[in-house]
Amino acid sequence: MSQNAKIVMDAVRAADHDRYLTALYAPAEKRDALFSLYAFNAEIAGIRDRIHESLPGEVRLQWWRDLIAADNDGAGIGHPVADTLKATISAHRLPKLAFDNMLEARIFDLYDDPMPSRTDLEGYCGETAAALIQLAAMVLDPVEAPRFAELAGRAGCAQAMTGLLLLLPRHRKRGQCFIPADILAAAGSSSEEFVAGDGGPGAERALAALAALAREHLSAFERGAAALPVSLRPAFLPLALSRAYLDKMEGSRPLEGVVRLSALRRHWLLLRRASKGWPAL
């Protein structure tokens, strides 16, 4: 393993341990490429936490956009994540438009604007988590991956919505609300009320509605997941944890604290799905 590859792998292990574990189930020759994708995702997802002003955050996103668009695949810039990502894009002929769309979607993270609607949330999930799953699938098996693009969309929505529920305490602390305004209105709340104090009387109803939407996408994914070839399983393995996270949240108060699964539980769920796949429903 090169020094850059080790740095990138360690970055994923620290910033996104669940995806780090799933990449270990991929063939050894594919892991560095997956780690480069996951490290890039962690980099852009964490911009707001590192750069606390919106405009410098947008500048950072534009830096990534320019770097990916440049036709200088063989020229390293000394940034391990950037250099390994460029190599992955070139080696696997990944569509640069997918990265551009992902970066465009991440602009939303930098501001406190409310998520307008369920449709907007699904679009955001599609350009971020779903796109990442599809890119990983293209690395693993470029022949089979296109057949499962729609399934990646369902998987990405389920995974991202579950992740947003898990990150609620962090988002509320900084005054940010990813729960769509139409869901909040139906629950008798608003984004302003949701991030203030205890979230107001409609908070629990809004959370239940978002969790139900995540489960809807997860169930749709699981209905089609039995058809996934073994070669693509590692790209979809994060979904092995989503239902367990959602179930754990039902018995807790996600507004108040982070919901976690034990390391043993996560390893067992991933091992089961990696070895047996998803059963036919």
Side-chain angles (χ1 to χ4, degrees):
M1 177 180 288
S2 70
Q3 183 63 22
N4 270 0
K6 186 179 186 308
I7 291 170
V8 168
M9 181 186 73
D10 289 343
V12 177
R13 179 162 47 196
D16 191 347
H17 200 257
D18 286 351
R19 283 196 178 95
Y20 166 78
L21 293 175
T22 66
L24 298 180
Y25 288 96
E29 68 274 11
K30 303 284 190 177
R31 289 176 197 157
D32 286 354
L34 293 182
F35 284 135
S36 73
L37 293 176
Y38 297 158
F40 165 71
N41 180 67
E43 280 268 335
I44 63 173
I47 285 177
R48 176 157 178 167
D49 294 319
R50 299 190 308 274
I51 304 174
H52 303 294
E53 300 294 330
S54 302
L55 185 57
E58 286 208 46
V59 171
R60 189 60 176 173
L61 289 173
Q62 185 61 46
W63 180 86
W64 279 105
R65 184 178 284 113
D66 293 342
L67 179 111
I68 291 169
D71 292 325
N72 58 346
D73 296 332
I77 64 167
H79 187 295
V81 176
D83 289 343
T84 56
L85 179 69
K86 289 278 284 185
T88 294
I89 292 172
S90 176
H92 297 277
R93 300 181 180 180
L94 300 181
K96 292 184 177 182
L97 180 60
F99 294 93
D100 194 68
N101 291 340
M102 194 182 299
L103 290 161
E104 182 68 23
R106 287 294 181 183
I107 293 175
F108 183 86
D109 299 1
L110 307 178
Y111 296 89
D112 294 336
D113 298 336
M115 183 68 71
S117 68
R118 164 182 167 161
T119 301
D120 290 296
L121 176 60
E122 289 170 334
Y124 171 88
C125 296
E127 301 292 3
T128 54
L132 189 62
I133 291 170
Q134 186 64 7
L135 289 166
M138 293 173 70
V139 165
L140 291 166
D141 190 337
V143 175
E144 290 285 353
R147 293 178 49 221
F148 295 93
E150 184 176 347
L151 198 65
R154 289 291 201 169
C157 282
Q159 185 192 7
M161 290 175 191
T162 302
L164 291 174
L165 286 165
L166 292 171
L167 291 172
L168 271 172
R170 180 192 299 179
H171 292 158
R172 292 182 72 243
K173 186 176 181 180
R174 65 191 186 196
Q176 192 172 26
C177 180
F178 279 87
I179 299 180
D182 55 356
I183 290 179
L184 287 165
S189 185
S190 66
S191 59
E192 294 80 10
E193 184 178 39
F194 184 81
V195 299
D198 63 359
E204 294 298 329
R205 292 191 293 273
L207 289 179
L210 183 57
L213 182 57
R215 287 184 182 277
E216 178 184 320
H217 283 287
L218 181 58
S219 295
F221 161 73
E222 290 174 340
R223 286 194 294 270
L228 277 172
V230 174
S231 60
L232 293 184
R233 279 183 198 166
F236 290 84
L237 269 185
L239 275 295
L241 305 178
S242 295
R243 188 168 293 280
Y245 279 125
L246 290 169
D247 290 345
K248 187 80 176 282
M249 277 186 271
E250 281 193 354
S252 63
R253 294 182 61 81
L255 279 174
E256 298 175 1
V258 177
V259 174
R260 292 186 174 91
L261 298 176
S262 71
L264 182 62
R265 174 80 168 154
R266 285 182 292 145
H267 279 285
W268 182 79
L269 289 168
L270 292 172
L271 176 61
R272 184 177 65 172
R273 290 293 177 237
S275 57
K276 297 182 179 179
W278 280 263
L281 298 180

